[in-house]
Amino acid sequence: MKHLFLIRHAKSSWDNDNLSDKDRPLNPRGEQQLAPLGKALLRYGAMAGEIHVSPALRAQQTLKGILHPSMGEAQIYTNPELYTFDYRRLLQWLQNCDDQAQTLAIVGHNPALLELAATLVPHAPFELPTASFIHIRLPIKHWRKLGKREGRLETFLTPVDFSYEAFKRKNQKRHKNAGKATVKDTPSVLLGQAEFLNQLHRGVMLGLDDEFLHQYRIALRRSRAVAESLAEVTGNKSLKSHISHLKRHAQATSNLRDLHVFRQDLPQLCSDQPELLRALEQWVCARVGKEQKKLAKRLGSKRYRQSLHSWEDELQSRQFRKLIDKLSTRDVQKSVEHRLRMFNRKTAELLHDAPDEDIHNLRKLLKRIRYLMELDIDSWKSALKTLRQRQDLYGRFQDLHVQIELVKRFASNHPEDPNGALQALLDYLAVEKDDTRRLILSIGGLKAG
């Protein structure tokens, strides 16, 4: 069995007409594509065997940007034959490869790579954008036996699958229009969120960029906050089951998101303790892998898909349109004011020794207030600025709470702490958390305007 990875170089520059095609470098977007591409290739095993690269500058720069520090020079080869746009030359080159290579990756050019894939597998992709790759499994022992339609397409990934920045760029129109809707546009806003959830689905399932999950959680919570407010304002009970489903979907992502945040903070938290950093990163990555598989299984289930389809049907129903027709800007304002009063009352009741859960609940209430305000953003511009700052503070407290619990869990499985680094980390997090708590208690409630 052989494994072939066809990797197209990252996006190149056409700015200098005096350069030959072979000497064209990557442009800034191409440079940005390299780190996410390298991470995806490493995850899928593309760097496990020989890597052969075209001598063209854009291919060489792509290779340099995707290589993991642990990789040696011995498995990397530059081949003049790979600077070609003719798939037949690539096929002939592959048929002459050394049979000791079980996994082989080519960093090259279109249309040769795409047409080669179409020759080797029955259902090849129709396109291969820059910084994309194809993984083909070949049921052969000898490269010379490589023939037509004998391979199996294992993986096909493009930048929008493994890079949220690339995904956002492709969906830029949606981001430009975000936040401009009025109350009467609520159905289209919620349908837009439902569509966004579907678009994010693949990125969340793959788990190659943490930001996909972060945005997915925001879309779920925003949808739930609006639905809860509609139910509250109109007294309608038909939204109850949908609200419950949205809540459960969001809760199912919480553990993984907490691990993502902890993993991002670890280099700074353990900057002077490299051994502890490595141990914690290894432990966190193992837990991330388990949580990611659990979430992917959930998102791939029939029950999950049905709940989202049912929510979309509700949003497009005549009954829902009638609800919105009865809704006014004043109704949303009343709901915001009601939640603000609730937030201020709970804040006033907060004691210095209040359980962490009380502050956590205030953080969740802040999010719901924010999503409601964003339904009528022009009326709440100044309030939103203050609210976002407060939300960051409460979020910081929750992150510290979670990180202390995670470090304690790690410590229970790793009781040895010869230089006291683990206890020092726990002490530092506890001090930071206490300082954040005092700041939260000192600032009081929020004003409506």
Side-chain angles (χ1 to χ4, degrees):
M1 189 69 67
K2 305 288 188 185
H3 293 270
L4 176 64
F5 288 85
L6 305 177
I7 307 164
R8 188 179 176 194
H9 62 80
K11 195 167 185 64
S12 57
S13 173
W14 293 86
D15 289 345
N16 191 341
D17 294 334
N18 295 322
L19 290 176
S20 68
D21 178 78
K22 200 171 183 178
D23 293 328
R24 287 193 295 107
L26 298 182
N27 67 10
R29 185 184 298 181
E31 295 283 354
Q32 293 171 0
Q33 291 174 325
L34 297 179
L37 173 60
K39 181 179 179 181
L41 290 168
L42 193 65
R43 166 83 70 86
Y44 284 87
M47 321 304 272
E50 293 184 2
I51 304 170
H52 295 262
V53 58
S54 157
L57 179 58
R58 57 191 182 277
Q60 293 286 321
Q61 289 179 330
T62 297
L63 175 67
K64 184 179 179 181
I66 63 177
L67 287 180
H68 192 268
S70 63
M71 294 185 61
E73 295 286 330
Q75 67 187 94
I76 300 167
Y77 307 87
T78 296
N79 299 97
E81 300 95 322
L82 299 184
Y83 178 61
T84 181
F85 309 103
D86 185 344
Y87 81 93
R88 289 165 295 191
R89 290 185 63 187
L90 278 187
L91 181 60
Q92 185 178 14
W93 178 84
L94 277 168
Q95 289 169 339
N96 289 308
C97 282
D98 188 338
D99 288 327
Q100 288 186 345
Q102 301 303 316
T103 297
L104 193 150
I106 297 174
V107 182
H109 310 270
N110 259 1
L113 294 175
L114 186 59
E115 291 176 358
L116 176 62
T119 302
L120 297 178
V121 299
H123 304 291
F126 294 108
E127 61 176 356
L128 185 64
T130 53
S132 301
F133 71 92
I134 296 170
H135 173 199
I136 299 171
R137 188 171 68 176
L138 299 158
I140 57 173
K141 291 184 179 179
H142 306 285
W143 288 105
R144 67 175 182 274
K145 298 289 187 181
L146 198 61
K148 292 183 178 180
R149 306 285 173 138
E150 291 183 351
R152 173 179 170 178
L153 180 64
E154 289 289 302
T155 308
F156 167 52
L157 293 181
T158 71
V160 298
D161 299 317
F162 53 75
S163 166
Y164 183 76
E165 281 301 312
F167 171 88
K168 186 169 75 169
R169 188 179 296 112
K170 186 176 180 181
N171 294 274
Q172 203 152 18
K173 183 178 179 182
R174 179 193 178 279
H175 286 269
K176 283 181 179 177
N177 294 331
K180 295 182 179 179
T182 64
V183 172
K184 292 301 179 184
D185 294 321
T186 300
S188 61
V189 169
L190 288 173
L191 277 170
Q193 291 296 325
E195 181 187 358
F196 193 41
L197 287 171
N198 286 322
Q199 291 170 346
L200 289 165
H201 187 260
R202 180 165 168 78
V204 175
M205 290 271 285
L206 290 170
L208 288 162
D209 186 337
D210 297 353
E211 190 62 20
F212 281 107
L213 182 68
H214 179 53
Q215 295 298 326
Y216 176 81
R217 283 167 56 82
I218 289 173
L220 282 173
R221 292 196 302 254
R222 179 172 281 129
S223 299
R224 176 189 166 195
V226 175
E228 284 179 334
S229 298
L230 286 172
E232 177 185 311
V233 171
T234 62
N236 186 278
K237 296 181 179 180
S238 65
L239 298 176
K240 185 177 179 179
S241 64
H242 297 295
I243 293 168
S244 178
H245 287 148
L246 291 168
K247 180 180 180 179
R248 285 203 300 271
H249 296 329
Q251 287 174 336
T253 67
S254 295
N255 289 341
L256 184 55
R257 180 58 183 168
D258 288 342
L259 289 166
H260 284 174
V261 174
F262 188 38
R263 182 170 61 183
Q264 290 165 9
D265 288 351
L266 273 176
Q268 183 177 353
L269 290 173
C270 304
S271 58
D272 57 346
Q273 295 291 339
E275 290 185 12
L276 179 59
L277 174 60
R278 283 193 295 271
L280 277 168
E281 283 182 332
Q282 187 176 8
W283 182 78
V284 169
C285 285
R287 295 179 71 90
V288 165
K290 290 178 182 178
E291 289 293 335
Q292 180 65 43
K293 285 181 181 178
K294 190 190 299 185
L295 181 61
K297 183 178 179 181
R298 178 187 177 88
L299 267 59
S301 70
K302 184 177 179 180
R303 184 177 181 182
Y304 169 80
R305 301 305 298 172
Q306 284 177 338
S307 73
L308 285 192
H309 290 321
S310 176
W311 175 232
E312 290 172 4
D313 290 342
E314 175 71 31
L315 297 177
Q316 296 178 75
S317 68
R318 184 178 299 179
Q319 181 181 3
F320 188 77
R321 295 282 173 176
K322 287 182 178 179
L323 273 181
I324 301 303
D325 287 342
K326 297 176 182 177
L327 193 66
S328 68
T329 301
R330 180 57 187 155
D331 291 327
V332 174
Q333 187 176 352
K334 284 181 179 179
S335 186
V336 170
E337 290 170 350
H338 168 71
R339 292 181 186 275
L340 278 172
R341 287 194 296 272
M342 187 188 305
F343 175 83
N344 289 337
R345 186 182 72 250
K346 289 179 179 293
T347 298
E349 294 169 353
L350 203 63
L351 301 175
H352 73 280
D353 58 349
D356 291 353
E357 187 65 21
D358 288 356
I359 297 177
H360 179 49
N361 288 333
L362 284 171
R363 181 180 73 95
K364 291 191 287 187
L365 185 52
L366 272 177
K367 287 181 180 179
R368 293 178 191 176
I369 294 170
R370 173 184 168 181
Y371 297 145
L372 273 174
M373 286 181 173
E374 287 174 349
L375 280 178
D376 186 23
I377 203 164
D378 287 338
S379 300
W380 302 97
K381 280 183 180 178
S382 60
L384 273 168
K385 184 178 179 180
T386 303
L387 191 144
R388 289 186 188 114
Q389 292 171 346
R390 186 72 66 89
Q391 193 177 337
D392 289 342
L393 180 62
Y394 281 69
R396 171 67 177 155
F397 180 86
Q398 177 62 15
D399 288 343
L400 288 164
H401 167 84
V402 169
Q403 289 173 4
I404 288 171
E405 294 304 310
L406 287 171
V407 174
K408 285 180 178 178
R409 236 173 276 171
F410 172 83
S412 67
N413 296 322
H414 303 77
E416 65 285 351
D417 187 20
N419 62 354
L422 198 54
Q423 187 58 51
L425 176 59
L426 279 170
D427 292 343
Y428 169 77
L429 291 171
V431 169
E432 287 289 303
K433 181 182 165 188
D434 287 343
D435 288 346
T436 307
R437 174 191 285 271
R438 280 193 288 271
L439 184 55
I440 288 171
L441 288 168
S442 69
I443 54 181
L446 285 166
K447 295 181 180 179

